[in-house]
Amino acid sequence: MGERACYREFCPDCDAPVTIVDEECPDCGRELAVV
C-alpha cells in the first residue's frame, strides 16, 4: 500500500492543494475533515 501523504485533495474553502493527512489547510487554516 502507498503512503497516505501521497494522496492529494483540495481545501473546500480556498481550493489550495492539501494532503489527506493535513488536519487544516496550510493556506486559509480551515479545519479539514479527518477520514
Side-chain angles (χ1 to χ4, degrees), residues 13-33:
D13 281 359
C14 69
D15 290 328
V18 296
T19 66
I20 62 170
V21 296
D22 287 333
E23 293 182 5
E24 69 178 34
C25 176
D27 280 5
C28 71
R30 181 189 195 276
E31 186 173 329
L32 302 172

